[in-house]
């Protein structure tokens, strides 16, 4: 097992994911948006709308922990922004980043569960968006 100082943080693992948005649409950094969604899921939210509402209610605490760039953001990303990011994000990349993070934590106790987001079924026969808790 790697010493704690050599383990990659969740943010470092998430920052390896390529942002699927065009450069013009990148107001909020992808790794921070994913952390925001993970925090909401860990706090019991099971729908994207619930995660968005939770982020609005806890915005001051969330942005304080996300770094200097986020402190300038007056409000969390809009619901449509969150939906679009999740719709464009290749599921395999997120799974790979989370696996990399979990893999460095052998010996730590982690409980991970996958959920389908209510109301997230997409057009063209694509499956509903998944969240890992």
């Amino acid at each position: 097992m790697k010493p704690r100082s050599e383990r990659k943080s969740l943010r470092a693992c998430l920052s390896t994911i390529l942002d699927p948005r065009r450069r013009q649409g990148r107001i909020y950094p992808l790794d921070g948006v994913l952390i925001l969604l993970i925090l909401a899921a860990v706090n019991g939210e099971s729908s994207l709308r619930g995660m968005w509402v939770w982020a609005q209610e806890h915005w001051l605490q969330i942005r304080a922990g996300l770094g200097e760039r986020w402190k300038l953001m007056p409000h969390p990303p809009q619901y449509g922004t969150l939906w679009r990011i999740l719709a464009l994000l290749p599921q395999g990349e997120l799974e790979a980043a989370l696996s990399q993070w979990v893999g460095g934590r052998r010996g730590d106790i982690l409980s991970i569960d996958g959920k389908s987001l209510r109301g997230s079924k997409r057009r063209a026969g694509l499956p509903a968006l998944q969240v890992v808790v």
Side-chain angles (χ1 to χ4, degrees), residues 63-81:
R63 76 176 186 179
L66 287 176
E68 290 300 316
R69 182 173 175 192
W70 285 80
K71 289 181 182 177
L72 303 173
M73 309 286 181
H75 54 78
Q78 295 297 316
Y79 175 79
T81 301

Side-chain angles (χ1 to χ4, degrees), residues 24 48 66 118:
Q24 298 162 262
L48 187 57
L66 287 176
R118 286 186 305 205

Side-chain angles (χ1 to χ4, degrees), residues 19-93:
D19 197 331
R21 300 173 288 174
R22 294 183 317 179
R23 199 174 340 187
Q24 298 162 262
R26 295 182 192 174
I27 296 171
Y28 297 93
L30 180 63
D31 61 342
V33 171
L34 295 174
I35 288 172
L36 179 145
L37 293 171
I38 290 169
L39 285 171
V42 167
N43 281 282
E45 297 302 330
S46 60
S47 70
L48 187 57
R49 184 161 304 279
M51 291 175 177
W52 176 65
V53 169
W54 183 88
Q56 288 181 324
E57 292 170 356
H58 298 89
W59 180 241
L60 294 178
Q61 295 95 353
I62 294 168
R63 76 176 186 179
L66 287 176
E68 290 300 316
R69 182 173 175 192
W70 285 80
K71 289 181 182 177
L72 303 173
M73 309 286 181
H75 54 78
Q78 295 297 316
Y79 175 79
T81 301
L82 298 178
W83 190 94
R84 187 166 190 275
I85 287 171
L86 290 176
L88 292 173
L89 192 68
Q91 189 173 349
E93 288 188 33

